[in-house]
Amino acid sequence: MGRRIAVVTLGCEKNQVDSEVMMGLMERWGFHLVADPQEADVIVVNTCGFVDQAKAESVNTILQMAQYKETGHCKALVVAGCLAQRYQEELMREIPEIDGMLGTGEFHRVPEVVEQALAGRHPMRFGNPVYLYDEVTPRKRIGLPYSTYVKIAEGCDHGCTFCAIPLMRGKFRSRPIPSIVEEARRLAADGVREISLIAQDSTQYGLDLYGRRRLPDLLTALNDVDGLRWIRLHYAYPGYFTDELIDAMAGLPKVCKYVDLPLQHSEDEVLRAMHRPGRKSQVRKLLERIRTRIPNVAIRSSFIVGFPGETEEQFLRLADFVEEMAFDRIGVFAFSREEGTPSASMEGQISEAEKERRAAWLMEVGRKASAARGAARVGQVIDCLLERQDDRRPDIWIGRSEYDAPEIDGQVFVSGVNGRPGEFVKVRITHSFDFDLAGEGV
């Protein structure tokens, strides 16, 4: 058996794609991929540096993996990803067990870094992030065989005052449409039926390459790929959600009627401080247009509570807005004071206890709205993607509807079907819960 390598992935689905690319490159280089870090000669930790909790998890994971130098077979520990990009010198100084590091723009150099780390050279490869994988880059997919993520762009040009992503991922850069379509064709030929398109801001897609935003054109091209059943769009910036995009989502049969629209707040004063585009009145009109022109659409959003200077009155108006808009799903984040961002030094910082109180309150508002939206689907017949059988009830399948993204949204419990993972079935919804649905195969 050749040299063994394990890649440990933390953070978001963008990191998952990056890890899959590194694994593909290492396998091509001649390494044998293993799932258990204890069995690996080389361990690569792909870190997240988005918020304090994620940073702490990344550091703890690095320290845990370092123990395998004593208790396992590890001869080289390499740290990659966002935390490495942002805190390279601090990590190398504070954790001497690290044998090599590479940033978010250097993933294609992972074989070189690993070889040098094994040779004891302690390589550090960082620079202005410009790398973006393409359709011929090897990927070793580690997720579901029938569902995967496709990165359509990398980086971000927006100046949101709370976000450190531009510091870690660089400028926004799009992949060409032919490259994405060809990757989708190869994935479909390999059995993938659902692709989730990801970028820091998907509605910005194409502006850097083509001089205009071309997300509707990309969706149209992907809709023609044989074998694909669902095309799911993530992270659509509300300021650029155009009528052309709404029409594409409404009219293209393979595009899921699922809108992921991170709004972050409702109140104009807070949005201005966040440096976010659009205002409450514009968002209301946008949501109305989406729901009018895309029947049965599911809308997911995310919000930040406890932003510096957010008053109790502003928070309560945010809660009223979330209740009024009746989102199918929401994610709520307590503001994280990120070094190097303008909001970190703003006046009016709010205590951790108060931020957590507001987050719990808003999540409860979102739970009630989600339950009501789910109840409205009782009696409908919807398509469901089967994923696995229930451990306690093998006659029950667990799957997802087009209104549920993998890993973050709800599930559908299905009876009366004899299926297999990755199969699509029609289900009549008979029951609803806070976030999940149940039904019978038709």
Side-chain angles (χ1 to χ4, degrees):
M1 181 180 294
R3 295 170 298 177
R4 297 161 297 183
I5 188 168
V7 178
V8 180
T9 305
L10 303 169
C12 66
E13 61 277 3
K14 303 180 193 70
N15 265 22
Q16 179 177 323
V17 174
D18 294 335
S19 288
E20 291 174 350
V21 167
M22 288 193 288
M23 292 167 69
L25 290 167
M26 293 307 302
E27 189 173 57
R28 175 183 287 181
W29 195 260
F31 277 80
H32 176 70
L33 300 172
V34 296
D36 185 356
Q38 188 168 2
E39 301 300 322
D41 302 302
V42 179
I43 300 174
V44 177
V45 181
N46 191 8
T47 60
C48 177
F50 184 52
V51 294
D52 288 340
Q53 184 177 3
K55 288 186 282 189
E57 181 186 14
S58 292
V59 171
N60 289 335
T61 301
I62 295 168
L63 294 173
Q64 290 170 8
M65 295 302 109
Q67 294 177 5
Y68 289 123
K69 288 189 169 184
E70 302 294 332
T71 63
H73 300 275
C74 183
K75 300 177 180 64
L77 175 62
V78 174
V79 176
C82 289
L83 193 74
Q85 180 74 31
R86 195 172 178 198
Y87 298 105
Q88 51 196 265
E89 294 180 0
E90 295 93 327
L91 287 172
M92 190 64 87
R93 182 176 63 249
E94 298 296 331
I95 309 179
E97 294 89 346
I98 296 174
D99 299 294
M101 300 181 70
L102 68 160
T104 57
E106 308 291 334
F107 291 124
H108 59 299
R109 302 180 68 180
V110 64
E112 167 195 331
V113 169
V114 166
E115 292 288 5
Q116 292 182 359
L118 284 168
R121 299 177 188 171
H122 290 84
M124 296 181 68
R125 298 291 177 266
F126 296 94
N128 181 33
V130 295
Y131 174 71
L132 187 58
Y133 83 100
D134 58 26
E135 74 280 9
V136 299
T137 306
R139 273 181 71 181
K140 184 71 173 179
R141 291 194 295 114
I142 55 178
L144 300 170
Y146 48 82
S147 178
T148 195
Y149 299 100
V150 173
K151 193 183 292 190
I152 65 173
E154 179 61 279
C156 186
D157 290 341
H158 301 308
C160 300
T161 58
F162 56 83
C163 185
I165 293 296
L167 301 175
M168 297 182 285
R169 292 280 180 172
K171 292 287 188 179
F172 188 87
R173 49 205 188 274
S174 305
R175 294 175 57 191
I177 289 177
S179 173
I180 299 169
V181 171
E182 179 57 28
E183 182 185 13
R185 288 197 182 107
R186 296 184 183 195
L187 291 169
D190 195 36
V192 170
R193 296 294 172 259
E194 174 189 37
I195 59 171
S196 296
L197 307 182
I198 54 175
Q200 199 59 39
D201 169 15
S202 57
T203 53
Q204 187 85 344
Y205 173 78
L207 185 61
D208 56 317
L209 278 182
Y210 304 111
R212 63 184 180 91
R213 298 178 177 87
R214 294 194 60 186
L215 183 57
D217 297 332
L218 174 62
L219 293 176
T220 300
L222 289 171
N223 191 74
D224 292 334
V225 174
D226 291 338
L228 288 184
R229 181 71 175 269
W230 283 350
I231 301 165
R232 190 179 300 279
L233 181 64
H234 285 276
Y235 313 120
Y237 216 69
Y240 309 116
F241 208 101
T242 63
D243 286 343
E244 184 184 7
L245 177 56
I246 295 174
D247 289 341
M249 297 189 72
L252 296 170
K254 294 182 182 179
V255 176
C256 292
K257 307 312 181 251
Y258 175 94
V259 174
D260 184 359
L261 195 73
L263 298 175
Q264 310 304 2
H265 214 280
S266 65
E267 299 310 292
D268 292 355
E269 303 94 332
V270 180
L271 290 169
R272 278 193 290 269
M274 289 179 168
H275 201 197
R276 294 286 292 181
R279 297 297 175 257
K280 181 191 287 187
S281 61
Q282 296 169 316
V283 169
R284 275 201 177 101
K285 292 176 182 177
L286 173 60
L287 293 173
E288 181 180 356
R289 292 202 310 275
I290 291 172
R291 283 178 167 152
T292 298
R293 295 161 65 176
I294 310 177
N296 285 324
V297 66
I299 300 178
R300 176 183 180 85
S301 192
S302 59
F303 298 94
I304 295 173
V305 297
F307 189 81
E310 181 193 55
T311 65
E312 180 71 8
E313 182 181 0
Q314 288 168 337
F315 167 71
L316 292 175
R317 290 202 297 266
L318 169 61
D320 289 342
F321 173 81
V322 170
E323 182 177 22
E324 175 193 352
M325 294 297 103
F327 297 98
D328 294 79
R329 302 280 189 268
I330 65 167
V332 179
F333 300 89
F335 169 74
S336 178
R337 199 171 182 176
E338 295 299 303
E339 297 173 75
T341 64
S343 61
S345 58
M346 286 181 177
E347 296 181 356
Q349 299 289 332
I350 295 171
S351 71
E352 295 300 319
E354 177 60 19
K355 288 188 286 190
E356 293 301 327
R357 182 190 73 85
R358 294 181 185 184
W361 184 328
L362 194 60
M363 277 301 298
E364 176 61 15
V365 174
R367 181 194 66 78
K368 292 178 179 178
S370 182
R373 297 286 291 179
R377 297 199 186 277
V378 172
Q380 294 182 3
V381 175
I382 63 175
D383 290 330
C384 180
L385 172 61
L386 300 181
E387 298 198 298
R388 69 185 189 279
Q389 290 174 287
D390 192 309
D391 293 335
R392 296 169 296 177
R393 292 276 307 276
D395 59 320
I396 301 294
W397 277 86
I398 301 174
R400 290 183 290 109
S401 73
E402 69 175 303
Y403 312 119
D404 299 297
E407 300 182 37
I408 61 172
D409 290 328
Q411 299 173 320
V412 182
F413 297 86
V414 185
S415 62
V417 297
N418 183 17
R420 62 183 185 276
E423 182 180 353
F424 289 85
V425 297
K426 289 193 176 296
V427 179
R428 178 176 287 106
I429 301 303
T430 57
H431 298 81
S432 68
F433 311 99
D434 283 351
F435 302 106
D436 303 323
L437 300 172
E440 302 170 343
V442 176

